[in-house]
Amino acid sequence: MASPPVQPWVDLPHDLLAAIMSRLGTPDLLSGGATRTCSAWRAAARDPLVWRRVDLRDWAALTSAGLAAGAGAAGGRIPVQAALCRVLEIAATRADGRMESLLLPEFADEEHLLFLAERCPNLHYFSLPATCMTDDQFCKAISKFQSLKGMAVDESLINHDVLDHVHQCCPMFLELKVFSLYVDEEMASIICNSLPHLRKLEIPNSDMSCAAIITFLDCLEELEYLDISGYETSSISSTVLRKASRLKIFIWNSKFELGEFMDCSNCGEHSINPQQPCKCAMEHRVMDWLAGPSQSS
């Protein structure tokens, strides 16, 4: 039986090639294997649909790819701020107005956010971990993101003025991630009062009070997803668990058991304190004690 004819990779349909390219990282798309292939693959790598989601957080990978720093006019190295502007220009051009999400590196500042506001006003989500952003410049950029659905920002931007502005300018805003070392009840109240329609809230790696958690659960009536993982906390009480039972997803870390409480397979009771086991576990311990020490064979 004759073997079926072998089809060359270059004959793959463009939409399938674009789907493959969309799974590559930004360094590969800009200067990696995608630019050293055949013309069909290079064309697919430039398809706007490939550039809907851009992740620039791994700046070291972009540096090794030769994009994060190049030769300047005087033969010197381009500063990282200027290099990021150049990468954003390339990404925005290729996305052709269809970019949906962009994750920026830690050193990105208000200049880069304002550039995005001008070039990608239809952006749905951005991550900006910078701590040096001024409220005025941030609000200026937010005014242009009328299709924004979510953002990840530093705790310095969590105040009534900024979040109220987000609420007024972005009617579809539903998702917030905060980079913060500590969250108290006051910060939780600011978030709840300014963004009452949040459905997804992420505040990982943060020391959070029990009152703050309960504030989120009581006040954000439409909340479906809450992630407060990454910090071992003793704030996860039975009250918190009861209130969080309405959520679709609740991710957290307990001070007593990383990930989740110990759960008895027999009675299903949560053991919050390992020194105070559930009734079922206590009965097993009593029975083991009554049986005396095990006899070695």
Side-chain angles (χ1 to χ4, degrees):
M1 179 182 297
S3 58
V6 177
Q7 297 187 14
W9 288 103
V10 70
D11 290 342
L12 278 173
H14 177 83
D15 58 343
L16 180 56
L17 283 174
I20 294 172
M21 292 297 171
S22 66
R23 295 175 179 268
L24 296 179
T26 304
D28 285 325
L29 289 172
L30 290 172
S31 69
T35 60
R36 294 195 291 266
T37 54
C38 63
S39 59
W41 284 61
R42 289 196 297 272
R46 288 175 169 80
D47 192 303
L49 295 179
V50 174
W51 295 88
R52 288 180 300 177
R53 300 174 181 86
V54 179
D55 187 349
L56 302 177
R57 290 175 297 178
D58 189 359
W59 193 251
L62 288 165
T63 301
S64 62
L67 286 157
R77 305 295 288 177
I78 297 177
V80 291
Q81 300 288 343
L84 178 55
C85 287
R86 183 176 64 175
V87 172
L88 290 175
E89 176 67 37
I90 296 172
T93 299
R94 295 189 180 181
D96 193 25
R98 303 185 193 181
M99 189 183 298
E100 296 178 359
S101 70
L102 177 64
L103 309 182
L104 290 161
E106 292 185 354
F107 61 85
D109 58 21
E110 55 195 27
E111 176 187 1
H112 304 110
L113 186 63
L114 289 170
F115 172 85
L116 284 174
E118 293 293 339
R119 293 296 308 276
C120 306
N122 297 321
L123 201 68
H124 291 174
Y125 184 92
F126 68 81
S127 174
L128 181 71
T131 60
C132 57
M133 178 76 67
T134 64
D135 291 359
D136 290 343
Q137 292 294 78
F138 184 82
C139 289
K140 180 180 178 181
I142 288 296
S143 299
K144 299 181 183 297
F145 290 129
Q146 298 185 6
S147 298
L148 195 68
K149 297 180 179 180
M151 66 182 185
V153 295
D154 182 74
E155 61 183 326
S156 59
L157 293 169
I158 303 302
N159 58 67
H160 282 296
D161 291 340
V162 169
L163 296 188
D164 284 345
H165 189 73
V166 171
H167 181 65
Q168 294 172 9
C169 296
C170 311
M172 297 185 291
F173 194 90
L174 300 172
E175 179 178 347
L176 176 67
K177 181 175 182 178
V178 182
F179 304 108
S180 177
L181 295 177
Y182 178 73
V183 177
D184 57 13
E185 188 175 5
E186 181 181 2
M187 182 185 291
S189 297
I190 291 174
I191 293 174
C192 294
N193 293 334
S194 302
L195 302 172
H197 301 300
L198 281 180
R199 294 185 182 177
K200 183 175 182 179
L201 177 61
E202 299 174 274
I203 313 181
N205 306 309
S206 177
D207 183 5
M208 189 176 301
S209 68
C210 183
I213 301 173
I214 291 177
T215 298
F216 288 135
L217 295 173
D218 284 345
C219 300
L220 296 176
E221 298 181 356
E222 299 176 36
L223 192 67
E224 300 175 351
Y225 182 113
L226 178 60
D227 181 358
I228 54 172
S229 62
Y231 187 92
E232 298 179 28
T233 178
S234 57
S235 300
I236 309 299
S237 64
S238 57
T239 300
V240 169
L241 289 176
R242 175 175 54 81
K243 291 177 178 290
S245 62
R246 67 177 178 86
L247 302 177
K248 292 182 179 179
I249 297 178
F250 182 33
I251 307 174
W252 47 273
N253 293 108
S254 165
K255 184 177 181 181
F256 304 112
E257 289 291 322
L258 293 182
E260 57 184 307
F261 295 134
M262 292 187 299
D263 186 52
C264 177
S265 59
N266 290 322
C267 66
E269 181 178 339
H270 289 299
S271 177
I272 296 178
N273 189 339
Q275 302 303 318
Q276 298 178 359
C278 66
K279 180 180 179 181
C280 180
M282 289 180 64
E283 290 176 352
H284 278 292
R285 290 186 184 181
V286 171
M287 296 303 295
D288 288 343
W289 178 80
L290 289 175
S294 59
Q295 301 294 325
S296 59
S297 56

